[in-house]
Amino acid sequence: MGSLEETCASLRAQIAATEVQLARLKRDLADAESAAIKSETPAPAENIQPTQNGGHRRWPLLQEEYRRYGRQMIVSQVGLQGQLKLRSAKVLLVGAGGLGCPAAQYLAGAGVGTIGMIDGDTVEVSNLHRQVLHRGKNVGKYKVDSAIEFLKELNPHPTYIAHRTHLMPAEAPAIFSGYDLILDCTDNPATRYLISDTAVLLGKPLVSASALRTEGQLMVLNNPHGCRETRQEDHVIDACSPNHHRLIAWSVVQMAALEAIKVITAPTVDDPIDGAATRPCDPPALHIFSAYSTPQFRTIRLRSRRPSCAVCSAEASVTRDTITSGSTDYVFFCGSANPGSLLDPEERISAREYSERHPQPLSLGNDSPNRPAGKGVHTIIDVRDKAQFEICSLANSINIPISSILSSMPPPIHQNGDTEAPSQLPSWIPPELASANSTTPIYVVCRLGNDSQVAVQKMKELGLHHGGQRFVGDIRGGFRAWREQVDPEWPEY
């Protein structure tokens, strides 16, 4: 038995090493292909005016472009002039994931002349179910290269630019300056603030899309420059719940791509059709989509630009210099998505130590019933939501979602600042755990080891540790650590 386990472990190690080497080779190949493409890329179609006979084209678009874009050009709001604007437009998408992929697909299909994509991540298998530009063969490849490979097959006319890096404050203004419009397709508050501030400082219209589970939001900001409040509100991200299983990304991104096209094709004073036309300054609004609400779409009017705005007021504290120098700390301003360690070391236990201290069978899914709370030598509480708990769970664990824990009222605070345990505990606490005589240790586990710390703090605030007589702590690193330290076959999602 021992030799078989050693063989399995050796094979797993060889597979892991091979996968790392394969990913490195794919990245090297992407760099080489990109260099080759740059050396062979012809001039954009808009610069090709002469015909084969040495004269000039009678029509502003190529015949193939008329055939390709004809169905949208017959829409009165687009027309020929709108199509020419799309061809001359330069759009940057920040993010090549669940939001960036479909947005890029729509914009490339519509004929936007230059499309830049910035993302420092590489393609993973877990991306493929929703990030529609990536393919299994491109696992390990930069996302921007994988996406552009697909887009070139969809439409060879645009110029595609890959920025193989995460957006950083020092480079953001220089990158943004080469584009006419920015699409924010990211998923963390710090980056969203950086994008918003940089866009307003450079006078770039910004289409901001976000999606989480079955809900999405969309805003068009700084369009035209100076029309509206641009600094968007940050979107709080649950530290342990995966925020990238975007089931409704397509619905939000379709609207985002449409808003981008509207911004690009909007009439201006220079348009030959109507010299009196001006770009409209629509009231600022937040568009909200919820798949399970009725109605599914709502629009909320936003306040106008604040006179005290940190970016665009007369006494702005955020400038291009503060961004590029790093003195504007977006991670500090928004708060880290990872709260780090909220508990003391003695309040935490490693996954391996827990497994050795309390050996138990593993359950691949929720196929074993929960044991009654408070019975046995310890209690294990899983604070993931029900959907994750049903994917995989420890045998005999009790599922109490973190949302239920956080929704309970805090204990009363005395004038001296002390708190006391409430006389009536929240309904999510099983009666057996609330017993004043119970000293059964309580262990809390979650996906990554973040929500579990918050839950432990809440339980102690409610007095479940009985003044230190009972251990209440979490499994450090959650199920990610459990997979690494205890059970390599634990589902990774």
Side-chain angles (χ1 to χ4, degrees):
M1 184 65 180
S3 60
L4 288 175
E5 292 179 350
E6 292 176 358
T7 300
C8 292
S10 176
L11 290 172
R12 291 191 191 99
Q14 292 180 48
I15 291 172
T18 303
E19 288 177 342
V20 171
Q21 183 180 11
L22 178 60
R24 186 183 303 111
L25 290 172
K26 286 184 176 181
R27 286 195 294 268
D28 292 343
L29 175 61
D31 292 338
E33 289 175 340
S34 178
I37 290 171
K38 286 182 178 179
S39 64
E40 299 174 2
T41 299
E46 62 184 7
N47 296 327
I48 303 176
Q49 297 297 331
T51 64
Q52 292 180 350
N53 298 326
H56 294 277
R57 289 206 309 265
R58 180 180 178 186
W59 309 108
L61 296 176
L62 298 172
Q63 283 297 325
E64 201 276 335
E65 290 179 296
Y66 281 103
R67 289 192 296 269
R68 180 181 289 268
Y69 308 127
R71 297 296 178 89
Q72 69 188 36
M73 289 170 59
I74 62 177
V75 177
S76 59
Q77 290 87 347
V78 179
L80 175 61
Q81 295 303 317
Q83 193 62 49
L84 293 174
K85 289 180 180 179
L86 287 171
R87 191 175 68 168
S88 63
K90 299 178 180 180
V91 177
L92 174 67
L93 293 96
V94 186
L99 293 172
C101 281
Q105 188 172 2
Y106 278 106
L107 294 176
V112 171
T114 300
I115 297 177
M117 301 188 75
I118 178 169
D119 198 315
D121 290 341
T122 57
V123 179
E124 300 177 359
V125 172
S126 62
N127 302 146
L128 300 180
H129 80 99
R130 68 193 183 282
Q131 299 181 14
V132 294
L133 300 186
H134 306 312
R135 298 293 181 265
K137 67 178 183 179
N138 286 340
V139 170
K141 201 171 187 177
Y142 278 110
K143 284 185 176 181
V144 290
D145 291 326
S146 173
I148 289 174
E149 177 183 308
F150 181 99
L151 295 174
K152 286 180 176 178
E153 295 182 6
L154 173 67
N155 189 351
H157 293 288
T159 298
Y160 300 102
I161 302 175
H163 301 274
R164 303 175 189 89
T165 179
H166 296 293
L167 185 66
M168 303 301 291
E171 293 83 24
I175 293 175
F176 280 27
S177 62
Y179 295 91
D180 306 315
L181 182 145
I182 312 299
L183 259 72
D184 180 354
C185 300
T186 61
D187 60 3
N188 71 84
T191 304
R192 298 180 77 82
Y193 266 106
L194 169 61
I195 294 169
S196 181
D197 290 351
T198 305
V200 70
L201 288 172
L202 297 180
K204 307 290 184 181
L206 170 64
V207 178
S208 178
S210 62
L212 177 62
R213 298 185 178 93
T214 60
E215 297 182 351
Q217 297 181 356
L218 173 65
M219 292 181 289
V220 180
L221 305 167
N222 206 40
N223 173 49
H225 181 51
C227 247
R228 63 185 59 180
E229 170 64 68
T230 305
R231 207 165 212 248
Q232 56 185 297
E233 298 297 325
D234 57 307
H235 301 262
V236 178
I237 299 176
D238 192 330
C240 270
S241 297
N243 63 348
H244 42 264
H245 51 286
R246 300 186 181 89
L247 302 180
I248 47 80
W250 276 94
S251 300
V252 175
V253 170
Q254 282 179 328
M255 295 187 292
L258 176 60
E259 291 295 336
I261 292 173
K262 285 169 57 180
V263 171
I264 294 170
T265 59
T268 67
V269 294
D270 298 325
D271 286 342
I273 297 177
D274 185 1
T278 58
R279 297 188 66 176
C281 185
D282 299 327
L286 170 66
H287 306 289
I288 299 176
F289 173 81
S290 180
Y292 291 95
S293 295
T294 303
Q296 291 181 323
F297 291 92
R298 291 182 294 149
T299 297
I300 300 175
R301 294 193 65 174
L302 300 177
R303 64 190 178 193
S304 60
R305 187 182 298 271
R306 295 195 308 268
S308 60
C309 178
V311 188
C312 55
S313 67
E315 300 178 356
S317 59
V318 178
T319 66
R320 181 166 181 167
D321 288 339
T322 66
I323 291 177
T324 56
S325 66
S327 59
T328 300
D329 191 334
Y330 290 98
V331 175
F332 176 79
F333 175 74
C334 296
S336 174
N338 183 348
S341 181
L342 301 177
L343 304 177
D344 294 330
E346 59 270 18
E347 297 176 288
R348 315 197 72 188
I349 185 174
S350 71
R352 180 178 290 107
E353 184 180 356
Y354 171 83
S355 176
E356 294 171 351
R357 186 181 300 180
H358 302 290
Q360 58 178 291
L362 300 177
S363 172
L364 296 179
N366 196 22
D367 55 6
S368 62
N370 292 339
R371 59 177 171 79
K375 299 293 181 65
V377 296
H378 74 289
T379 298
I380 177 72
I381 295 177
D382 188 328
V383 296
R384 296 173 300 160
D385 59 37
K386 182 180 178 181
Q388 295 185 61
F389 185 74
E390 290 177 346
I391 293 174
C392 53
S393 63
L394 293 175
N396 300 321
S397 57
I398 303 170
N399 183 216
I400 306 178
I402 187 66
S403 57
S404 299
I405 296 175
L406 295 178
S407 65
S408 60
M409 295 296 292
I413 301 177
H414 297 297
Q415 292 183 352
N416 60 6
D418 295 335
T419 61
E420 68 175 24
S423 58
Q424 185 175 359
L425 293 173
S427 59
W428 56 264
I429 298 179
E432 296 84 353
L433 293 185
S435 173
N437 298 322
S438 175
T439 59
T440 301
I442 299 176
Y443 300 94
V444 185
V445 67
C446 64
R447 183 169 175 263
L448 302 176
N450 298 329
D451 288 341
S452 58
Q453 297 184 68
V454 176
V456 168
Q457 287 186 328
K458 188 69 174 179
M459 290 179 182
K460 289 194 170 184
E461 289 176 1
L462 295 171
L464 295 183
H465 65 314
H466 302 327
Q469 299 300 311
R470 166 196 260 177
F471 174 82
V472 179
D474 85 317
I475 297 178
R476 187 170 56 249
F479 285 116
R480 179 172 60 184
W482 185 267
R483 187 177 189 276
E484 294 171 353
Q485 301 175 18
V486 180
D487 183 8
E489 295 183 0
W490 188 262
E492 182 179 14
Y493 63 93

